[in-house]
């Protein structure tokens, strides 16, 4: 069955697969609280059985995070309703579990000797999807639905910062972490959920002394300022020139080439928001941002693959069809109800993302002779085709964990201390 899917719709070219074999993970920098968190993460990974696959750890964390975020969106569909206390607490716990599991997947890979290029891709791929749902849940926790502009800025700020981090990685070949980074942002968001649970969402409307602004606005200003600083640092690296020939990207392409794929959906989102005849974003903010988030999630995944395989980042992608449908419907005076088109677009981009991720994982597993969620490797194709290999040798090979000369992705740079 897997062979059928691969033959019908291969997602990666032979050149990309070859580039994947040659990829070596590179990261630098340490954030503020990670040295402290590392103590907990090292303790936690020792409690995980050795038979548990690293990718399975990552996936479980993502599922928990997505489910808790969707739960909040269910109780607060317009991001203006106040959800039950336990929902906010579940989001805080869900994000903490995701952070913890995401932090130990690389450690588990080294413990079990199961480091593969798929691990890095799977890690960053799950992070890109998680960013969408965490951004949505944050907006709901502070009931930003009554201020669409604030909600729009908060959400797209989150996905753009994550994309830029991998943009500069595509250019420089090294994933760089700042003093204030993902770990600190996640802890801040957990605190927001806990505050909403303990004091109620009305607390965000309280004025901050001296500045005269609500706590919600101050929180957004602080997060946006830090994000702007981070993005500025990324662009300094990007504009300085890349690791490729003549200062190009690792793929030898223009350092600005990843710009269009991210700016296109963001500009479309802004245009549709401002021109909608039925106030689509104002009335259905969660569905609206989720649709654009899924589209950007796929684009981010393709950027990660382009970096790892040293291949060109394509300008257009099927994920743009969803936002494009909304734009065309609006261009023709909404001859189809915008709400219906929004649902069609959301279903399409979600299916497109899931299908893409599934086929990419399938193709890489087939190329490397490994399983995605199993520690043991697949039986060697070469071994199965050879009549000279003994049964004992084949048995030993089937129990050997696949290991090429590379490391699994470390979403935090200083996890390399554990090597």
């Amino acid at each position: 069955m897997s062979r059928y899917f691969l033959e019908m719709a291969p997602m990666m070219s032979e050149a990309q697969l070859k580039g994947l074999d040659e990829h070596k993970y590179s990261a630098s920098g340490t954030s503020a609280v990670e040295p402290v968190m590392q103590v907990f993460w090292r303790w936690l990974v020792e409690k995980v059985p050795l038979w548990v696959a690293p990718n399975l750890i990552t996936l479980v964390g993502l599922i928990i995070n997505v489910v808790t975020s969707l739960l909040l969106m269910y109780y607060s569909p317009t991001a203006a309703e106040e959800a039950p206390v336990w929902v906010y607490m579940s989001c805080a716990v869900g994000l903490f579990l995701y952070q913890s599991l995401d932090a130990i997947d690389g450690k588990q890979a080294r413990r079990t000797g199961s480091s593969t290029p798929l691990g890095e891709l799977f890690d960053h791929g799950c992070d890109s999807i998680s960013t969408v749902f965490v951004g949505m849940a944050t907006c709901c926790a502070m009931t930003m639905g009554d201020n669409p502009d604030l909600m729009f800025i908060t959400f797209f700020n989150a996905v753009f910062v994550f994309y830029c981090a991998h943009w500069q990685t595509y250019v420089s070949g090294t994933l760089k972490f700042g003093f204030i980074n993902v770990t600190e942002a996640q802890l801040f968001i957990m605190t927001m959920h806990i505050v909403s649970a303990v004091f109620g969402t009305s607390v965000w409307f309280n004025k901050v002394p001296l500045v005269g602004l609500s706590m919600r606005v101050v929180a957004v200003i602080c997060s946006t300022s830090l994000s702007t600083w981070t993005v500025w640092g990324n662009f300094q690296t990007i504009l300085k020139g890349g690791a490729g020939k003549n200062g190009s990207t690792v793929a030898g392409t223009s350092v600005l080439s990843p710009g269009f794929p991210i700016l296109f959906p963001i500009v479309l989102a802004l245009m549709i928001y401002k021109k909608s005849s039925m106030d689509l974003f104002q009335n259905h903010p969660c569905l609206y941002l989720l649709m654009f988030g899924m589209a950007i999630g796929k684009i981010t995944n393709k950027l990660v693959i382009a970096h790892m395989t040293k291949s060109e980042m394509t300008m257009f992608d099927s994920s743009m069809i969803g936002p494009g449908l909304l734009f065309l419907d609006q261009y023709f005076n909404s001859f189809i109800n915008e709400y219906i088109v929004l649902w069609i677009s959301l279903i399409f981009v979600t299916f497109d993302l899931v299908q893409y991720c599934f086929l990419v994982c399938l193709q890489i597993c087939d190329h490397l002779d490994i399983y995605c969620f199993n520690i043991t490797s697949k039986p060697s194709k070469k071994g199965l085709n050879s009549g000279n290999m003994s049964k004992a040798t084949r048995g030993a090979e089937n129990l050997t964990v696949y290991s090429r000369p590379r490391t699994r992705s470390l979403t935090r740079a200083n996890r390399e201390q554990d090597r």
Side-chain angles (χ1 to χ4, degrees):
M1 181 63 73
S2 62
R3 177 64 56 185
Y4 170 78
F5 283 115
L6 291 175
E7 291 176 352
M8 289 295 292
M11 294 290 108
M12 299 173 65
S13 66
E14 288 299 322
Q16 285 181 309
L17 292 173
K18 182 180 178 181
L20 190 70
D21 293 337
E22 300 169 354
H23 172 69
K24 294 181 179 179
Y25 179 75
S26 176
S28 64
T30 302
S31 68
V33 302
E34 285 198 28
V36 177
M37 297 299 294
Q38 283 288 345
V39 177
F40 168 68
W41 292 335
R42 292 191 193 102
W43 171 84
L44 182 61
V45 74
E46 294 297 328
K47 308 303 177 184
V48 180
L50 290 174
W51 55 265
V52 177
N55 289 340
L56 183 60
I57 294 175
T58 313
L59 182 62
V60 169
L62 177 65
I63 291 174
I64 293 172
N65 194 20
V66 169
V67 169
T68 54
S69 298
L70 286 175
L71 191 62
L72 179 53
M73 284 182 259
Y74 171 79
Y75 280 100
S76 185
T78 66
E81 301 86 354
E82 184 161 357
V85 171
W86 64 269
V87 175
Y88 296 114
M89 291 302 298
S90 69
C91 282
V93 173
L95 182 54
F96 175 74
L97 291 175
Y98 175 75
Q99 180 192 66
S100 300
L101 295 177
D102 184 46
I104 68 172
D105 54 5
K107 292 175 172 57
Q108 179 72 354
R110 291 187 295 280
R111 285 179 73 215
T112 57
S114 56
S115 299
T116 69
L118 179 61
E120 179 176 348
L121 175 59
F122 202 86
D123 189 299
H124 294 317
C126 288
D127 286 342
S128 68
I129 297 173
S130 172
T131 301
V132 173
F133 286 92
V134 170
M136 289 294 309
T138 303
C139 293
C140 292
M142 293 193 287
T143 56
M144 291 186 181
D146 67 323
N147 192 331
D149 289 342
L150 201 64
M151 185 170 181
F152 189 94
I153 292 171
T154 300
F155 177 80
F156 283 104
N157 172 56
V159 295
F160 185 70
V161 169
F162 184 83
Y163 184 89
C164 285
H166 289 282
W167 184 349
Q168 73 84 24
T169 306
Y170 181 56
V171 171
S172 68
T174 300
L175 184 59
K176 298 179 180 180
F177 298 95
F179 187 69
I180 303 297
N181 216 277
V182 178
T183 304
E184 290 74 19
Q186 290 173 336
L187 292 173
F188 182 61
I189 293 171
M190 291 176 212
T191 303
M192 286 181 171
H193 285 298
I194 294 172
V195 168
S196 293
V198 175
F199 300 103
T201 55
S202 60
V203 71
W204 298 108
F205 295 91
N206 293 338
K207 299 291 184 180
V208 177
L210 300 180
V211 297
L213 298 174
S214 67
M215 289 178 59
R216 183 175 66 175
V217 172
V218 170
V220 172
I221 290 175
C222 291
S223 63
T224 303
S225 299
L226 288 173
S227 299
T228 301
W229 177 260
T230 301
V231 170
W232 172 247
N234 290 333
F235 270 94
Q236 284 185 313
T237 300
I238 292 169
L239 298 177
K240 187 171 59 177
K245 186 177 180 180
N246 298 322
S248 62
T249 68
V250 294
T253 57
S254 168
V255 296
L256 299 178
S257 58
F260 179 79
I262 184 65
L263 292 179
F264 181 77
I266 293 178
V267 171
L268 274 187
L270 181 61
M271 291 174 61
I272 296 169
Y273 158 35
K274 293 299 183 180
K275 299 292 185 179
S276 175
S277 59
M278 60 173 289
D279 294 330
L280 187 64
F281 175 57
Q282 293 90 328
N283 294 322
H284 310 285
C286 289
L287 289 178
Y288 188 88
L289 295 181
L290 194 58
M291 190 276 288
F292 279 97
M294 291 293 98
I296 293 174
K298 184 188 174 187
I299 293 169
T300 306
N301 272 276
K302 297 196 76 171
L303 178 60
V304 174
I305 290 177
H307 159 241
M308 293 180 63
T309 60
K310 293 182 172 59
S311 57
E312 182 179 1
M313 178 66 181
T314 55
M315 292 293 101
F316 295 95
D317 183 71
S318 57
S319 61
M320 297 180 182
I321 293 176
L325 287 176
L326 267 180
F327 177 78
L328 288 175
D329 183 59
Q330 193 177 87
Y331 180 80
F332 290 106
N333 299 317
S334 302
F335 68 96
I336 300 176
N337 186 287
E338 285 184 314
Y339 180 62
I340 295 175
V341 178
L342 176 60
W343 267 110
I344 293 173
S345 300
L346 175 59
I347 292 171
F348 175 82
V349 296
T350 302
F351 175 78
D352 187 51
L353 172 64
V354 172
Q355 175 189 240
Y356 178 77
C357 294
F358 171 75
L359 291 177
V360 164
C361 288
L362 203 63
Q363 191 172 8
I364 294 177
C365 286
D366 182 73
H367 175 69
L368 299 179
D369 290 335
I370 59 173
Y371 296 108
C372 188
F373 302 114
N374 196 320
I375 288 288
T376 56
S377 64
K378 293 180 180 179
S380 170
K381 295 177 182 177
K382 182 178 179 180
L384 292 176
N385 293 331
S386 173
N388 298 325
M389 183 178 287
S390 69
K391 183 182 294 186
T393 303
R394 292 178 186 174
E397 184 181 68
N398 291 348
L399 292 175
T400 301
V401 175
Y402 178 85
S403 180
R404 291 202 178 200
R406 63 149 281 95
T407 57
R408 181 184 172 82
S409 164
L410 311 181
T411 307
R412 314 291 181 263
N414 61 343
R415 292 183 199 174
E416 293 188 344
Q417 297 172 358
D418 301 316
R419 292 181 180 177

